[in-house]
């Protein structure tokens, strides 16, 4: 399997190279050259498989020749051993025709673990084969950083440096990162905002000599391997509801468009998915696009669902490329002008195609809180603010005869203040994190300048050598 860039000017790469590279050289995102698909009997044969085995079957065509099937299966098994539910991705019914699939049973209590735990295994495997080492550098406003740190901790061939905005993440989120004390993990508290952190990471990657010297690599959600690793749970849910003979719909609380893109990919592979529902908070650019073909950037506003406080959904570029019939030149033109003008001109035909499959619903904080409370009153189910938005979108667009499955992307204990405000209940942290508030923390406070961050990265890599 080869991968091509959405902007058409970068070399085609294999799975392992795409894994290590992340963003394509031409600024585009990698996609498989052709979409693998499964036959009716192949889908049927996957029904009832344990999750890690199912994940290996789905990943196999994407990985291609790079990793042999037996090794891939054992990497998948190792990836999901740290999950605290035997089903890994359990599905619960909350209302007639409305179900919740919980993606937060991994070590950091958010759905990022689903892909990141497998990426940790894949990185270690590929780097061992190449006898190489990389330094993963990333910025986080909360969930991505802790998931990356958990996936990389203690791995010899990886150093991980995560920048977070000092005093601007929730305490649970910060402690999930800073209480990991392995030598290959470095936390930098940046004296600035999340945007500053992202700009600093970009500056580091733009410095080619530094990037080469330090073997920088990224695990943000533009990395294709993360999308691929998110496809299996959609397959798992759909098969359990009777696919491929029965249709199913999904509702997904959406930020960077990575999670829902994986659902779209599952459909592309032949899974009978009827409808995909995007849930947004007040940062509603995707909902505006779906409702009125209005993809106009506004400034990011804070909300109860911080992991969706995003204006530019990077992974949308992959869908756009497909909507344009894989016309890379048109895709590059539209993306460049979007960056320059803040407005994306999506051709009417492409927008119509998107609308026939996707719908969007945006909830402000008051509506999110009401959803958390109403759902809990009626069903006893406690949904965190992100999950609640997905559930509300699922209810809004559900149709008779088609099960609607909403993705629960974070454990409610990750957002205790929002839960108390909505329901009066403070959800307890799972056992493995119960002492989080009393663990030792380690991080360095660093001014928001590229030089200071580069020094910190050099020191981290040296001390880990
Ligand atoms: C990252 C995240 C999201 C958004 O997922 P995307 O793939 O960026 O659309 C939603 N909920 C939670 C809890 C997250 O951590």
């Amino acid at each position: 399997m080869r991968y091509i860039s959405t902007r058409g000017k970068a070399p085609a790469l294999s799975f392992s190279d795409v894994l290590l590279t992340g963003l394509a050289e031409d600024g585009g995102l990698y996609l498989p050259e052709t979409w693998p698909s499964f036959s009716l009997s192949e889908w049927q044969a996957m029904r009832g498989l344990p999750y890690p085995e199912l994940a290996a079957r789905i990943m196999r065509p994407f990985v291609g020749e790079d990793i042999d099937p037996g090794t891939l299966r054992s990497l998948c098994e190792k990836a999901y051993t740290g999950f605290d539910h035997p089903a890994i991705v359990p599905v619960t019914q909350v209302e007639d025709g409305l179900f919740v699939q919980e993606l937060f049973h991994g070590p950091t209590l958010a759905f990022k673990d689903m892909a990141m735990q497998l990426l940790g295994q894949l990185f270690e495997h590929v780097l061992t084969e190449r006898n190489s080492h990389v330094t993963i550098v990333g910025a986080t406003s909360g969930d991505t950083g802790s998931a990356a740190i958990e996936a990389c901790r203690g791995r010899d061939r990886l150093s991980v440096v995560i920048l977070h905005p000092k005093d601007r993440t929730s305490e649970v989120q910060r402690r999930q990162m800073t209480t990991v004390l392995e030598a290959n993990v470095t936390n930098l508290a940046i004296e600035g905002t999340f945007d500053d952190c992202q700009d600093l990471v970009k500056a580091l990657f733009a410095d080619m000599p530094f990037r080469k010297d330090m073997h920088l690599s990224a695990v943000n959600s533009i990395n294709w391997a993360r999308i691929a690793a998110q496809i299996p749970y959609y397959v798992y849910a759909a098969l359990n509801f009777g696919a491929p003979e029965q249709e199913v719909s999904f509702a997904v609380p959406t930020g960077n468009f990575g999670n829902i893109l994986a659902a779209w990919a599952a459909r592309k592979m032949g899974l009978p998915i009827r409808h995909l529902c995007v849930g947004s908070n007040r940062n509603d650019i995707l909902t505006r696009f779906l409702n009125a073909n209005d993809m106009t950037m506004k400034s990011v506003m804070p909300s109860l669902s911080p992991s969706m406080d995003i204006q530019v959904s990077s992974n949308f570029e992959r869908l756009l490329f497909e909507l344009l019939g894989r016309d890379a030149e048109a895709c590059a033109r539209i993306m460049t002008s979007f960056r320059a003008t803040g407005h994306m001109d999506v051709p009417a035909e492409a927008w119509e195609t998107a609308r026939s499959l996707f719908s969007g619903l945006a909830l402000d904080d008051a509506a999110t809180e009401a959803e958390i409370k109403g759902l809990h009153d009626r069903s006893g189910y406690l949904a965190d603010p992100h999950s609640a938005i997905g559930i509300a979108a699922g209810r809004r667009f559900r149709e008779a005869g088609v099960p609607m499955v909403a993705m629960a992307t974070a454990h409610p204990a990750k957002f205790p203040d929002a839960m108390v405000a909505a329901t009066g209940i403070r959800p307890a942290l799972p056992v493995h994190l119960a002492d989080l508030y009393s663990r030792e923390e380690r991080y360095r406070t660093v001014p928001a300048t590229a030089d200071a961050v580069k020094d910190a990265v050099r020191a981290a890599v040296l001390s880990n050598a």
Side-chain angles (χ1 to χ4, degrees), residues 225-247:
R226 275 186 61 182
I227 307 293
Q230 289 166 182
I231 300 172
Y233 48 78
Y234 291 102
V235 176
Y236 182 88
L239 293 179
N240 276 317
F241 281 107
E245 292 87 351
Q246 161 72 43
E247 280 188 313

Side-chain angles (χ1 to χ4, degrees), residues 110-112 143-144 221 226 230 252-260 307-308 310 315 384 386-387 409-410 415:
F111 98 97
K112 305 285 193 295
D143 294 336
T144 307
S221 79
R226 275 186 61 182
Q230 289 166 182
V252 188
T254 300
N256 242 331
F257 209 75
N259 198 359
I260 198 161
S307 298
M308 291 152 59
I310 284 173
N315 275 294
D384 96 288
H386 304 77
S387 308
T409 51
F415 301 94

Side-chain angles (χ1 to χ4, degrees), residues 2-5 8-14 17-18 21 23-26 30-31 33:
R2 309 284 292 169
Y3 290 83
I4 55 168
S5 164
K9 296 224 156 49
L13 297 181
S14 72
D17 288 323
V18 164
T21 306
L23 195 70
E25 269 172 25
D26 59 2
Y30 277 108
L31 273 175
E33 201 161 47

Side-chain angles (χ1 to χ4, degrees), residues 196-393:
D196 294 331
C197 295
Q198 274 195 308
D199 289 345
L200 288 164
V201 170
K202 275 189 206 144
L204 263 54
F205 276 87
D207 179 343
M208 277 302 169
F210 181 79
R211 181 174 175 171
K212 288 223 162 90
D213 267 9
M214 297 290 120
H215 292 249
L216 293 196
S217 192
V219 290
N220 46 12
S221 79
I222 48 105
N223 192 309
W224 166 258
R226 275 186 61 182
I227 307 293
Q230 289 166 182
I231 300 172
Y233 48 78
Y234 291 102
V235 176
Y236 182 88
L239 293 179
N240 276 317
F241 281 107
E245 292 87 351
Q246 161 72 43
E247 280 188 313
V248 52
S249 292
F250 291 106
V252 188
T254 300
N256 242 331
F257 209 75
N259 198 359
I260 198 161
L261 187 83
W264 178 88
R267 186 171 187 272
K268 199 79 186 153
M269 296 169 78
L271 206 63
I273 295 174
R274 167 82 150 257
H275 204 167
L276 291 173
C277 313
V278 171
S280 321
N281 58 34
R282 56 206 284 229
N283 300 290
D284 62 348
I285 185 166
L286 288 166
T287 297
R288 279 184 281 124
F289 166 70
L290 291 167
N291 289 342
N293 198 1
D294 170 22
M295 184 84 93
T296 309
M297 263 185 244
K298 295 186 179 169
S299 52
V300 177
M301 291 175 290
S303 78
L304 289 176
S305 46
S307 298
M308 291 152 59
D309 291 345
I310 284 173
Q311 277 297 322
V312 180
S313 302
S314 330
N315 275 294
F316 182 80
E317 179 168 346
R318 289 191 161 109
L319 179 68
L320 178 68
F321 178 70
E322 296 283 352
L323 292 172
L324 296 168
R326 297 198 146 204
D327 181 343
E329 218 170 288
C331 188
R333 191 165 3 100
I334 291 173
M335 290 309 299
T336 309
S337 109
F338 180 47
R339 284 284 165 187
T341 65
H343 177 78
M344 190 186 293
D345 260 315
V346 179
E349 199 184 317
W351 175 67
E352 294 286 352
T353 310
R355 252 172 57 110
S356 63
L357 177 61
F358 292 90
S359 302
L361 180 71
L363 271 68
D364 63 14
D365 280 354
T368 305
E369 202 176 296
E371 172 63 35
I372 295 171
K373 181 175 185 339
L375 183 71
H376 183 255
D377 287 347
R378 291 190 305 273
S379 69
Y381 192 80
L382 269 185
D384 96 288
H386 304 77
S387 308
I389 288 173
I391 292 167

